[in-house]
Amino acid sequence: MKELVVISGKGGTGKTTIVAAFATLAQDKVMADADVDAPDLHIILDPTITRREEFRSGNLAFINKELCTECGKCRELCRFGAISEGYVVDKIDCEGCGVCYNFCPAEAIEFKEEVSGEWFISETRFGSLVHAQLGVAKENSGKLVTLVRKNAKMLAENKGKELIIVDGAPGIGCAVISSITGSDLVLIISEPTISGIHDMRRTAALAAHFKIPTAVCINKCDINLEISQNIRSYCQENNLKLVGEIPFDTVVTEAMVHRKSVIEFSQGAVSQEIERTWQNTTRLLNQSGEA
Amino acid sequence: MIVGIASGKGGTGKTTVATNLALSLNGKVQLLDCDVEEPNAHLFLKPKFHGSESVGIPIPQVDEKLCTFCGKCGEICQYGAILAVKKKVLVFPELCHGCGGCSLVCPEAAISEVMREIGTVEKGVVRGVDFVHGRLHVGEPMAPPLIRAVKEKTNNQGTVIIDAPPGTSCPVIESIKGSGYVILVTEPTPFGLYDLTLAVDMVKALSIPSGVIINKADIGDRGVDQFCQRENLPVLLRIPLERRIAEAYSRGEMMVDIYPEYKEKFRSVISEVKRLIGE
Ligand code: SF4
Ligand code: SF4
């Protein structure tokens, strides 16, 4: 079984648009939306949820006012400034480290497990989708990403599917690291802007850090021809496979407004280039792990 | 006044708004780029940097001569960052949050703490704007401690603009917490709308008043406008999708340099924000 993770470094480069198009093109696969912070894939895939689970991760501290003697020990020890002068734990600031709970001399602190999101298995017109929604102002998106990927893998195994396509998280921090570790191929969707190329480099460095084969697709490649050329050269120098160059077209937004993938919506230049990108990506995927 | 600029999803024009806003305002202005995973504001503003400092988190260092391998450290650690096995203690630096629990609990005082660098904070200045950003080292999972370090540089004079990372999870919260107002930048598309609803829930959870700037205002559909009306969210500015703006952006040029009339528009955004929060 192969796992492809599509990421973008900077958001808004068209990652989800391309994943949705791939979903239309690929046969025999399971989809996973690992952008648990701002999942958008469901908007196009229109899933029917068949299984819904709570995501529990980590504990938070609560001070029991009846037992608290206001000795100040917890406030002194908490490194995250989460306990107020009135001895109330701020749910947002608390990192759940448990230090206060372990050292409170009055044993006035409870340490309770938190529900910090939900995850789902759904059916869509393109096959099964595993997705999630992190609760508002909640932590541990990395753990939720891992959970989504794990369930996608189990689902693929049960259904005998050979491919998992993952819509990855933005950035280069914990959520992205959890999105890509152990996958077979990372596809970076870049755009030819000075911030786009900057972020692409950082993202490619991250994939290299974890030694994952990496491909690049330039989206909106005609917005700035010079920077597109720079991205091409960068790919060549760094042994990154350039799998596609998709032109800018407002049809992408129109398709989204109609809640369709670009491939379903149009047969124009964008769709054709995405098909070529998909073929190149499949070829790389099939090669991965063989060497 | 501290104004946070955020958006549920990336690529909506958050950095465009933050940087152009910074160049438009009169008086003292400070811009803190808190998107330490992918800092971009400096690419557009091109500040002259004049200082950089290392930011780290304290991680445990175990003196195995004192250690009795009792395993208490591994029990207290909530993140699986330290583990005593037979005659060895394993530390996984990337997982450590630097809470200090293990060194506190160790009965033999065998654990001391050392700083592990996770990134840098750089300070600079450009066209009268005081500029600060953080850069997370590639491969480091934990952005919040670096974001806190960037925010410690707040000078609390005039207007402080915070460019937050995209999304609604811990790094974003860390960035906008403490802001007097948050401007949410969005696009009028189904993706933009969904991510805006998440962002609005987030600012509500933090009890920070917020308004919206609609970027690429002429694409997509009416969903975002209808949502803003329903939620009573002021639409502070609409920026149309113009090829010239997009091209200038791709080259890293500032919108207010190409369309100077936007300076006035950005100034009005801030006056409106001040009026709304009664400053
Ligand atoms: S659990 Fe840790 S972060 Fe939370 S309040 Fe207690 S000491 Fe602070
Ligand atoms: S400092 Fe806290 S997070 Fe780090 S290893 Fe010790 S107990 Fe774990």
Side-chain angles (χ1 to χ4, degrees), chain A residues 9-12 16 37-40 42-44 59 77 79-80 92-93 95-97 99 102-103 111 133-134 136-139 170-174 177 192-195 198-199 202-203 205-206 209 222-224 227 253 256-257 259, chain B residues 8-11 36-40 42-44 58 76 78-79 97-101 104-105 113 135-136 138-141 148 167-170 173 177 189-191 194-195 198 201-202 205-206 219-221 243 247 249-252:
Chain A
K10 167 180 147 63
T16 301
D37 194 5
D40 283 338
H42 70 276
I43 295 171
I44 305 299
N59 297 334
L77 293 181
R79 291 214 174 141
F80 306 98
I92 287 169
D93 287 342
E95 289 253 334
C97 70
V99 165
N102 276 288
F103 292 96
F111 202 42
Q133 178 70 62
L134 192 68
V136 164
K138 288 289 192 269
E139 306 202 15
I172 61 161
C174 81
I177 294 177
T193 60
I194 61 158
S195 51
H198 174 261
D199 295 344
R202 279 172 73 83
T203 314
L206 183 75
H209 182 93
D222 47 352
I223 309 182
N224 188 316
I227 299 180
T253 313
M256 190 203 299
V257 168
R259 300 206 168 28
Chain B
K9 102 190 184 85
V36 301
E37 293 182 42
E38 305 282 16
N40 282 160
H42 68 288
L43 299 170
F44 298 94
I76 196 171
Q78 294 295 310
Y79 314 103
H97 287 226
C99 72
L104 279 168
V105 83
E113 293 184 304
R135 246 177 215 284
L136 187 68
V138 169
E140 283 301 333
R148 283 194 282 272
T168 53
S169 64
C170 31
I173 310 269
K177 192 164 75 182
T189 62
F191 286 4
Y194 183 71
D195 298 333
L198 298 177
D201 286 346
M202 167 186 73
L206 292 168
I219 62 167
D221 54 17
R243 193 148 181 121
E247 283 174 357
Y249 169 82
S250 80
R251 290 191 299 267

Side-chain angles (χ1 to χ4, degrees), chain A residues 95 174 177 209-210, chain B residues 55-62 77 79-83 89-100 102 113-118 136 139-143 145:
Chain A
E95 289 253 334
C174 81
I177 294 177
H209 182 93
F210 290 103
Chain B
V55 175
I57 42 181
I59 65 160
Q61 193 176 42
V62 182
C77 182
Y79 314 103
I82 189 164
L83 189 67
V89 181
L90 304 173
V91 176
F92 304 96
E94 282 83 17
L95 299 179
C96 174
H97 287 226
C99 72
C102 52
E113 293 184 304
V114 282
M115 274 293 172
R116 188 175 75 89
E117 183 174 295
I118 57 163
L136 187 68
E140 283 301 333
M142 241 160 329

Side-chain angles (χ1 to χ4, degrees), chain B residues 23-96:
Chain B
L23 291 189
S24 303
L25 300 181
N26 301 320
K28 279 218 179 310
V29 182
Q30 190 182 36
L31 178 68
L32 308 178
D33 185 354
C34 287
D35 189 356
V36 301
E37 293 182 42
E38 305 282 16
N40 282 160
H42 68 288
L43 299 170
F44 298 94
L45 288 175
K46 305 174 187 79
K48 234 193 157 105
F49 285 107
H50 53 67
S52 149
E53 36 187 275
S54 150
V55 175
I57 42 181
I59 65 160
Q61 193 176 42
V62 182
D63 183 343
E64 293 194 349
K65 286 203 283 297
L66 298 176
C67 179
T68 58
F69 310 97
C70 71
K72 291 221 162 66
C73 50
E75 277 163 32
I76 196 171
C77 182
Q78 294 295 310
Y79 314 103
I82 189 164
L83 189 67
V85 287
K86 287 191 190 129
K87 291 265 161 244
K88 219 177 164 40
V89 181
L90 304 173
V91 176
F92 304 96
E94 282 83 17
L95 299 179
C96 174

Side-chain angles (χ1 to χ4, degrees), chain A residues 65-95:
Chain A
K65 285 284 182 186
E66 274 159 34
L67 299 176
C68 174
T69 59
E70 307 206 342
C71 70
K73 190 79 188 164
C74 57
R75 296 196 63 223
E76 175 201 320
L77 293 181
C78 176
R79 291 214 174 141
F80 306 98
I83 304 169
S84 71
E85 278 172 34
Y87 294 92
V88 177
V89 178
D90 184 322
K91 280 188 151 208
I92 287 169
D93 287 342
C94 176
E95 289 253 334

Side-chain angles (χ1 to χ4, degrees), chain A residues 187-238:
Chain A
L187 173 62
I188 303 175
I189 310 299
S190 181
E191 63 173 28
T193 60
I194 61 158
S195 51
I197 188 168
H198 174 261
D199 295 344
M200 188 272 278
R201 284 197 192 116
R202 279 172 73 83
T203 314
L206 183 75
H209 182 93
F210 290 103
K211 303 194 173 56
I212 306 167
T214 306
V216 173
C217 166
I218 312 178
N219 193 16
K220 310 174 201 167
C221 63
D222 47 352
I223 309 182
N224 188 316
L225 298 176
E226 199 187 315
I227 299 180
S228 277
Q229 184 52 44
N230 294 343
I231 296 180
R232 269 181 227 120
S233 319
Y234 183 84
C235 289
Q236 236 163 29
E237 286 155 22
N238 292 277

